[in-house]
């Protein structure tokens, strides 16, 4: 067999959380070049809902052309990190790239986030990243390519993303969005390709905040349908990316002496909803219900609407055939959404994105966030009729 001559051939890549998902995708991309992959993750036995272990990942990596070292690592445990780094250096002779991919998330606001969950996120996302970096840096300094890649939501300083939330939010859509949501997502390959693009850059490429799509555009990629799970299907928006943040920056930069800062758009005076608009919206929703929609959703939504034609409404997508109506549902709601009638009508007609409404405070959600995400898919189906 001819030796692998890829750009990462012989390089050692230490990846946390590499037993599945994005971490494994990056590992497989590097493995095709003939890289050595340290799989630093804690999964040794298959999870009922999440397939993949450090050992199955190792098999895939070696089948792809790389060499694998599976290490049991909980990034909250400094000794496990140090042991894995020691094993990696002993087996492969050093470490060239560190990918801090392991993370913990919670889709909850301040009052609904248990302290135990906050401690977990801080321990994994912040402390774990720090400890792993600290352990690897002495060996990275000896490498000719040396990169540390920290995967995280974009660091968007627009205040609208901060005023409602304290929790860290990343996309674990298989668990959060439920059946069918993958059609509105991109494959993990886009992150793997973006990471590979970074790995190829010289050591001087440091201190950069990179968005996958942007760096791949710089690589000359124009067709991003190759990364879509279902090409042509509208994508779920990223909670931490403005649609056109550069517009606000450019406008401010055109003013003499201006300091670039993306500011939240000032709320406009709320226009009154037309009489019966909410009732008409629910009528159209009801006409679109089916056993298939109910089976795919399995949730009861309650809407607390303020303003004209408001009050309490419900959308039952759990019981046979589904149902809508005024007042509280007969069974306890899985998700309670509070907003104005005007914004409710805009949201269901596609004039206001649920993500923007939620993150800007126009929409408040209590209950199961995963089921709340499912409702957005139904809204997209309603847009053409509302």
């Amino acid at each position: 067999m001819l030796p692998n001559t890829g750009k990462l051939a012989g390089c050692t890549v230490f990846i946390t959380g590499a037993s599945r998902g994005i971490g494994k995708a990056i590992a497989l991309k590097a493995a095709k070049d003939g890289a050595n992959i340290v799989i630093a993750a804690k999964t040794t036995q298959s999870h009922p809902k999440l397939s993949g272990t450090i050992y199955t990942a190792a098999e895939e990596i070696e089948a792809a052309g790389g060499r694998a070292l599976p290490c049991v690592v909980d990034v909250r445990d400094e000794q496990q990190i140090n042991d894995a780094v020691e094993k990696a250096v002993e087996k492969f002779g050093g470490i060239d790239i560190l990918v801090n991919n392991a993370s913990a998330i919670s889709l909850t606001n301040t009052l609904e986030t248990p302290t135990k969950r906050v401690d977990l996120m801080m321990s994994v996302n912040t402390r774990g990243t720090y400890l792993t970096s600290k352990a690897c840096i002495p060996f990275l300094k000896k490498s000719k390519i040396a990169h540390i890649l920290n995967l995280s939501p974009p660091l968007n300083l627009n205040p609208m993303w901060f005023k409602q939330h304290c929790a860290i939010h990343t996309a674990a859509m298989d668990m959060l969005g439920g059946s069918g949501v993958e059609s509105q997502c991109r494959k993990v390959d886009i992150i793997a390709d973006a990471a590979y693009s970074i790995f190829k850059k010289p050591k001087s490429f440091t201190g950069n905040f990179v968005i996958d799509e942007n760096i791949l555009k710089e690589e000359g990629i124009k067709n991003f349908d190759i990364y879509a799970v279902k090409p042509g299907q509208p994508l779920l928006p990223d909670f931490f990316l403005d649609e056109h943040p550069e517009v606000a920056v450019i406008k401010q930069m055109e003013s003499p002496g201006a300091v670039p800062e993306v500011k939240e758009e000032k709320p406009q005076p709320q226009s009154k909803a037309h009489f019966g608009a909410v009732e008409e919206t629910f009528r159209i929703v009801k006409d679109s219900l089916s056993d298939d929609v109910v089976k795919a959703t399995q949730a009861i939504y309650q809407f607390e609407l303020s303003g004209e034609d408001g009050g309490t409404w419900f959308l039952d997508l759990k019981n046979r055939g589904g149902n809508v109506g005024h007042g509280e549902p007969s069974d306890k709601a899985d998700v309670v959404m509070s907003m104005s009638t005007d914004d409710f009508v805009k949201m269901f007609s596609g004039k206001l994105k649920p993500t923007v409404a939620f993150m800007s405070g126009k929409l408040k959600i209590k209950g199961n966030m995963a089921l709340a995400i499912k409702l957005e898919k139904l809204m997209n189906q309603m847009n053409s009729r509302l």
Side-chain angles (χ1 to χ4, degrees), residues 19-314:
S19 59
R20 63 175 69 93
I22 291 172
K24 189 178 78 171
I26 293 173
L28 291 174
K29 180 75 176 182
K32 290 176 182 178
D33 272 11
N36 308 315
I37 309 295
V38 183
I39 308 161
K42 61 180 183 178
T43 306
T44 57
Q45 295 182 338
S46 295
H47 187 280
K49 296 182 179 179
L50 295 171
S51 62
T53 68
I54 59 175
Y55 306 115
T56 58
E59 291 174 359
E60 291 183 54
I61 287 165
E62 294 189 343
R67 296 172 65 198
L69 175 63
C71 296
V72 180
V73 175
D74 182 335
V75 294
R76 294 172 293 177
D77 190 319
E78 185 173 12
Q79 190 59 55
Q80 288 186 12
I81 293 171
N82 292 337
D83 289 346
V85 169
E86 185 179 334
K87 290 176 183 177
V89 173
E90 182 180 343
K91 180 167 184 174
F92 299 129
I95 296 174
D96 299 288
I97 296 169
L98 166 63
V99 180
N100 285 309
N101 169 69
S103 66
I105 66 172
S106 181
L107 293 174
T108 49
N109 61 30
T110 304
L111 297 179
E112 294 174 348
T113 308
T115 303
K116 184 178 180 180
R117 190 66 185 177
V118 174
D119 290 342
L120 174 65
M121 290 189 290
M122 292 297 181
S123 296
V124 173
N125 301 333
T126 303
R127 185 173 181 272
T129 296
Y130 170 78
L131 291 176
T132 309
S133 300
K134 181 181 179 182
C136 290
I137 284 174
F139 303 100
L140 290 169
K141 283 185 174 181
K142 301 175 184 178
S143 170
K144 293 181 180 180
I145 59 173
H147 288 289
I148 294 180
L149 177 62
N150 297 321
L151 297 178
S152 76
L155 298 180
N156 188 339
L157 298 183
N158 188 330
M160 73 179 289
W161 305 123
F162 287 85
K163 70 179 187 179
Q164 298 294 328
H165 309 278
C166 71
I168 297 168
H169 181 245
T170 57
M173 298 308 297
D174 284 342
M175 290 291 287
L176 300 177
S179 176
V181 75
E182 68 276 0
S183 65
Q184 294 177 274
C185 299
R186 280 175 168 164
K187 302 172 185 175
V188 291
D189 295 358
I190 190 170
I191 303 292
D193 286 358
Y196 184 78
S197 176
I198 293 171
F199 297 160
K200 293 189 298 180
K201 293 185 178 296
K203 294 170 71 171
S204 58
F205 184 81
T206 183
N208 291 285
F209 298 101
V210 179
I211 294 171
D212 51 8
E213 184 173 306
N214 291 350
I215 197 167
L216 291 175
K217 283 180 178 177
E218 293 176 7
E219 294 278 321
I221 293 177
K222 297 179 180 179
N223 177 21
F224 284 85
D225 271 353
I226 60 173
Y227 296 117
V229 173
K230 188 175 181 180
Q233 180 78 9
L235 298 171
L236 284 173
D238 190 299
F239 274 14
F240 287 86
L241 281 178
D242 294 333
E243 276 193 87
H244 303 289
E246 67 280 1
V247 175
V249 176
I250 292 171
K251 285 182 178 179
Q252 292 185 47
M253 288 296 287
E254 289 175 347
S255 302
V259 177
E261 178 185 3
V262 180
K263 293 196 174 183
E264 180 183 358
E265 185 178 317
K266 291 182 179 180
Q268 299 297 318
Q270 180 176 309
S271 61
K272 288 187 177 181
H274 296 295
F275 181 75
V278 173
E279 186 175 1
E280 175 65 12
T281 298
F282 276 113
R283 184 192 66 76
I284 295 174
V285 171
K286 185 174 183 178
D287 289 344
S288 302
L289 297 184
S290 66
D291 287 339
D292 288 340
V293 170
V294 172
K295 184 178 179 180
T297 310
Q298 285 298 289
I300 297 176
Y301 303 91
Q302 182 173 319
F303 300 88
E304 297 295 339
L305 305 180
S306 59
E308 185 180 351
D309 202 25
T312 301
W313 296 76
F314 71 88

